[in-house]
Amino acid sequence: MVNAKTFHINVPQSVLDDLKERLADTRWPDEPEDANWEYGTNREYLKELANYWQNQFDWRKQEAMLNQFTHYKAMVDGLNIHFIYEKGKGPNPIPLVLTHGWPDSFFRMYKIIPMLTDPARFGKNPADSFDVIVLSFPGFGFSDKPTKPGFNLGRVAEHWHKLMTENLGYHRYAAAGGDGGAAVSELLGQKYPDALTGVHMTDVGFQASLNADPKTLSDAEKQYMEQMQQMGMQEGAYAMVQGTKPQSLAYGLNDSPVGLAAWIIEKFRTWSDCNGDLESVYTKDELLTNIMLYWVTDSIGSAIRGYYEETHTPSYQPGGRVEVPVGMAIFPKDNPPPREFAERSLNIQRWSKMPHGGHFAALEEPETLADELRDFFRPLRSR
């Protein structure tokens, strides 16, 4: 019995009308000649996207597509958590909770949900099916926004475990995700090892860095740490702002749809395996549907606030480790770590280097990731 209420996405028309007016009234900034994307989001491309958003994008069509999935909201410790819950169609599906990160949403997973719940439909073995639960972070999309300070990733993991065990009645389950979703999956493995069948990640999480004694780093680990430091200096300004003064940023992003789009799509371009061409990987509809999930719910402020909470109330302590089996899919655009670095905090049982893909693997390479999840969890189904 599911202890949750069904939920149907139905954005008020007044919100969509207001959005079109704001798009039409955009006050565009100047841009240096031949700036391309070097200064941030390219104005020419953003104007093209905004024009499509205003005049061609059909939210009702995307809304209907999203409503093909079964949505719920469940009350967990005072917060209504939104999630998609699709039962597997194989003989013995195992429950798998999938968690997104920032600046994406539950929409990250929409392509792989049917691949995991109904593998036979895609020519795969039905014995590899999953019950799939895709959760929306508190403060993201249709989940409630935390109102008190300190709601860090560890709190998210606690809510996930309660939802899985108390609201959905699973005694054991599996966890997977990327970005913040990898971190939450890692924390689930740390906090609730008796309940976790296994953990799959497309990012190494945060624990390994805390466990990395500089005196014992291999040459490969030293090179990786140096690369991460360089990336932080070149690409990490967003995290510094969101981790220190998120409210100042939120006013502009929550008021301007073009500003919101600019902040989000620059990360999709930088972090995806697209060679600088966003639409070689994503359609405009996909980019805008993800952005809309922030816009129509007024949730960009509460979403970026999670960076502040984790910075000021860290979920991790030195020495933490995940002892349940862990699989990692390493996508080349995502600055992959050496295996020995990941093993400082994770019980790695499968280490797969992927030929293509980046940070948003479930959207970029859904077939590859779905195959990887089936392969990793297959021998763990008896746990």
Side-chain angles (χ1 to χ4, degrees):
M1 186 69 179
V2 177
N3 183 15
K5 294 182 178 179
T6 56
F7 173 72
H8 189 79
I9 302 172
N10 185 20
V11 174
Q13 186 60 41
S14 60
V15 173
L16 304 182
D17 293 341
D18 173 73
L19 169 62
K20 286 204 170 189
E21 291 178 6
R22 289 171 184 263
L23 288 168
D25 292 340
T26 300
R27 189 171 72 164
W28 293 92
D30 71 321
E31 181 181 72
E33 293 182 7
D34 302 319
N36 198 12
W37 290 76
E38 298 303 317
Y39 289 76
T41 301
N42 176 256
R43 188 176 65 170
E44 181 180 355
Y45 178 75
L46 189 58
K47 281 190 170 183
E48 177 187 327
L49 184 67
N51 180 66
Y52 180 87
W53 197 359
Q54 179 187 350
N55 298 304
Q56 294 175 260
F57 178 73
D58 186 348
W59 167 250
R60 294 303 183 197
K61 179 180 178 181
Q62 302 305 312
E63 192 176 66
M65 180 272 292
L66 294 174
N67 279 326
Q68 292 178 23
F69 298 109
T70 307
H71 296 255
Y72 291 90
K73 283 190 176 184
M75 183 63 69
V76 182
D77 285 350
L79 289 177
N80 256 314
I81 304 299
H82 162 258
F83 61 101
I84 290 173
Y85 183 24
E86 294 290 336
K87 299 284 284 185
K89 296 185 178 180
N92 189 28
I94 63 171
L96 174 63
V97 55
L98 298 175
T99 310
H100 63 85
W102 185 89
D104 56 301
S105 58
F106 73 87
F107 182 67
R108 175 195 280 235
M109 308 298 181
Y110 90 100
K111 293 179 181 178
I112 66 169
I113 294 171
M115 298 177 186
L116 297 175
T117 56
D118 190 8
R121 175 181 158 193
F122 299 88
K124 308 295 182 179
N125 190 339
D128 289 330
S129 69
F130 298 86
D131 290 347
V132 174
I133 302 92
V134 181
L135 297 158
S136 290
F137 259 96
F140 283 68
F142 301 107
S143 284
D144 280 357
K145 302 173 176 65
T147 58
K148 295 182 180 180
F151 204 98
N152 59 13
L153 293 170
R155 295 282 302 280
V156 176
E158 292 169 7
H159 276 62
W160 273 202
H161 181 68
K162 285 188 176 183
L163 190 149
M164 292 297 292
T165 57
E166 298 177 13
N167 294 83
L168 299 185
Y170 290 114
H171 299 294
R172 292 183 67 80
Y173 59 93
D179 193 82
V184 170
S185 300
E186 178 182 43
L187 288 165
L188 286 169
Q190 283 190 19
K191 289 172 173 285
Y192 311 105
D194 293 339
L196 268 290
T197 302
V199 171
H200 190 275
M201 302 160 66
T202 57
D203 303 275
V204 74
F206 299 134
Q207 188 67 62
S209 295
L210 283 179
N211 294 356
D213 182 352
K215 298 178 182 178
T216 64
L217 293 177
S218 68
D219 289 342
E221 287 177 303
K222 290 178 182 177
Q223 183 179 3
Y224 171 72
M225 295 289 279
E226 289 173 0
Q227 289 172 345
M228 291 298 292
Q229 187 175 25
Q230 291 172 6
M231 284 184 61
M233 293 298 294
Q234 296 169 1
E235 299 289 344
Y238 79 97
M240 291 297 293
V241 175
Q242 294 180 177
T244 57
K245 296 293 187 289
Q247 193 67 21
S248 298
L249 178 63
Y251 295 111
L253 300 186
N254 200 63
D255 189 59
S256 167
V258 166
L260 176 65
W263 194 248
I264 288 176
I265 66 166
E266 186 271 319
K267 296 307 171 201
F268 271 76
R269 181 182 180 274
T270 300
W271 296 347
S272 300
D273 194 3
C274 67
N275 293 316
D277 181 4
L278 263 171
E279 293 184 29
S280 67
V281 176
Y282 312 107
T283 66
K284 283 186 173 71
D285 282 348
E286 288 175 330
L287 293 170
L288 291 171
T289 297
N290 179 65
I291 293 166
M292 285 288 284
L293 292 172
Y294 288 91
W295 182 260
V296 301
T297 57
D298 288 332
S299 61
I300 187 61
S302 52
I304 62 176
R305 196 157 60 232
Y307 281 72
Y308 182 97
E309 307 299 359
E310 192 61 34
T311 299
H312 291 78
T313 314
S315 302
Y316 292 84
Q317 298 297 323
R321 183 170 175 80
V322 177
E323 295 294 352
V324 302
V326 176
M328 283 204 67
I330 309 301
F331 289 86
K333 182 66 175 179
D334 216 15
N335 192 33
R339 179 167 180 164
E340 60 263 35
F341 183 78
E343 287 177 335
R344 290 177 179 271
S345 61
L346 304 169
N347 176 18
I348 302 292
Q349 297 295 305
R350 183 180 176 89
W351 183 266
S352 301
K353 293 185 177 181
M354 301 302 177
H356 309 287
H359 195 66
F360 307 99
L363 268 178
E364 294 178 66
E365 300 287 342
E367 296 89 353
T368 302
L369 182 59
D371 285 343
E372 176 64 19
L373 288 166
R374 286 190 288 263
D375 290 345
F376 170 66
F377 284 109
R378 188 176 300 121
L380 303 179
R381 286 176 174 267
S382 60
R383 276 175 53 85

